[in-house]
Structures are given as C-alpha cells and as structure tokens.
Amino acid sequence: PRIYVKTQLQLDEKANPPRYKGIVDCVKQTVRDHGVKGLYRGLSSLVYGSIPKAAVRFGMFEFLSNKMRDESGKLDSTQGLICGLGAGVAEAIVVVCPMETVKVKFIHDQTSANPKYRGFFHGVREIVRTQGLKGTYQGLTATVLKQGSNQAIRFYVMTALRNWYKGDNPQKTINPLVTGVFGAVAGAASVFGNTPLDVIKTRMQGLEAHKYKSTVDCAIKIMKHEGPAAFYKGTVPRLGRVCMDVAIVFIIYEEVVKVLNKVWKTD
C-alpha cells in the first residue's frame, strides 16, 4: 500500500488539478472507489521483480567489492559507494526499469474510469502489443540515475557504519539488529538523497509519459508547472517503506553471506 500511495502522489500533477490532498486522502479515495485491494494494484509486478532485482544488486556488489578489498578483506566507504553505484546501474538496466514501468502503468491505470489491465501477464501483453518492447523500458535514463544514486548512497552509508562499528577488529561480528538499524539509516539517507529522481522516473513511466521529450524535459516541466516541492512528493510513504525494506534486505544479505562463508570456503 505504501508503494501504491507514493506512486499515486507522484503521478498526481497540479496541472490536472490534483485529485489528492495528501496521503490520508489518497488512501480514503482509493478504498472508497476500489476497495482495500485497490491499494495493492501493481503488487504482482513488484513481487515478480524483487527476487531478480536483489540477486543482480548483491551479485554485482559482491563481484565489484571482491576486486577492491584490501589484504585484510576491508572495503572503505568510498569503495563501497563505487561498488554500490555499479550494483545500482546493473539492477536498473536488467530488472528495475521494466519492472517499475509495468508497476507504474498498473497503478496509473487504476486512476482511469475503466481500468484496462486485468492482471500482471495481461497488462504486460497489452503494453508490449500496443507499445512494443520499448513500452517496458520507459524512463531508462531516470531509472539508471535513481538506482545508481540509490545504491551508491546505501552502500556508502552501510560500509561506513559497518567499518565504524568494527573499529580495528575486521573479524568482529555484527548483531542482526544492529545491521537492521544501519540498514534503516542507509535507507533514510537514500530517500532524502534521491526522491527527486524517483519522482521524475515515476512520471517518465506513467501512462502520460508521452508528454515529456526526455528526462531533462520532464524535470524542467515539473519545476516550471509545479515548483520544487513537487520533487519531494511521496517522501513520507516512501520513507517508511524504504527504511523497513533496506533494513530487512541487509539483515538477510549479511546472514546469508555468513552462512555461505561457513559452507562454501574460498581462498
């Protein structure tokens, strides 16, 4: 539901004029018009994309970080930022752009009087049939910028906090709860750092993306017609979701790495 509300608020343009007065009003109108299940529109595309997204992100991060670690296996925060940037760009191109495009189109479709997408596979078929494969790759530049900066910020903060906690003992283990707190801080930093890019990406992937000539044109039009505050639409619902999401994902990642290091020993 948080993702749905965040996306709706970002798609809600002042020039229309806006349908929603805020988060609560968006939830009320959606439940009134479409029932509680309306808050879960676009969930299937999110679920189908989450596993491959995490696999590409952490796979690329591990690949890059293993090339950059020093003799003791330590990775400094700047290297963490570079590896995170690479991981974000990789996941944007391989998974996130098509997944997010489909998700945003599903949620935007909800706002029409007669929704045309009956489900995930039907929606994908319709998008490809009417717009071709490029219909699932709208807003690629904005997505690469958003995911690249997203993961750069998260892995930079996470690496810095992890190194601070371990101090002079690189072998010191970190409690999963501490990892969760670090992950939540990293998630919050990424929200405040790149929500403007998230807003632009959402607009570029909506059903009215044809209004914009490019990512830069989209940013200029938002600034011109709606003002700078529009770049932070959906920040509150996104903050709650992202902090929880990043905390859980980093806990799972760290614990899986611990298990793999015990089971699958490497030189």
Side-chain angles (χ1 to χ4, degrees), residues 12-136:
D12 192 32
E13 302 177 50
K14 284 186 178 178
N16 276 352
R19 290 183 58 192
Y20 310 114
K21 297 172 185 175
I23 296 171
V24 176
D25 184 52
C26 179
V27 173
K28 282 182 179 177
Q29 286 196 44
T30 302
V31 173
R32 184 194 66 206
D33 297 338
H34 306 284
V36 175
K37 68 178 183 179
L39 294 170
Y40 289 87
R41 196 67 182 257
L43 177 64
S44 53
S45 60
L46 192 68
V47 171
Y48 295 143
S50 291
I51 295 174
K53 180 170 74 170
V56 172
R57 178 195 307 164
F58 288 107
M60 180 58 74
F61 179 81
E62 283 296 312
F63 173 77
L64 294 174
S65 64
N66 285 336
K67 304 285 185 184
M68 301 181 77
R69 294 180 190 276
D70 61 19
E71 296 80 9
S72 64
K74 186 177 180 180
L75 190 75
D76 67 37
S77 53
T78 302
Q79 291 171 328
L81 184 146
I82 295 170
C83 295
L85 178 62
V89 171
E91 72 174 1
I93 296 171
V94 178
V95 182
V96 178
C97 190
M99 181 194 81
E100 287 282 305
T101 302
V102 172
K103 182 201 77 176
V104 172
K105 285 183 186 294
F106 271 27
I107 294 176
H108 206 173
D109 182 54
Q110 174 83 45
T111 65
S112 62
N114 299 301
K116 57 186 178 181
Y117 303 142
R118 296 194 296 268
F120 177 78
F121 295 107
H122 176 259
V124 172
R125 280 200 306 271
E126 283 297 300
I127 292 169
V128 173
R129 183 179 67 80
T130 58
Q131 303 170 36
L133 196 59
K134 69 177 183 179
T136 63

Side-chain angles (χ1 to χ4, degrees), residues 193-250:
N194 81 345
T195 289
L197 288 171
D198 188 49
V199 171
I200 294 169
K201 175 196 70 67
T202 300
R203 295 288 180 85
M204 291 291 291
Q205 293 172 335
L207 296 178
E208 297 181 3
H210 60 273
K211 291 163 54 175
Y212 310 114
K213 298 174 185 175
S214 65
T215 301
V216 174
D217 181 57
C218 178
I220 291 172
K221 285 182 176 175
I222 292 173
M223 176 64 79
K224 181 180 177 181
H225 298 299
E226 303 171 55
F231 287 108
Y232 281 88
K233 280 186 176 181
T235 299
V236 175
R238 187 177 178 228
L239 185 64
R241 175 186 68 83
V242 169
C243 288
M244 182 79 69
D245 173 54
V246 177
I248 293 172
V249 169
F250 269 113

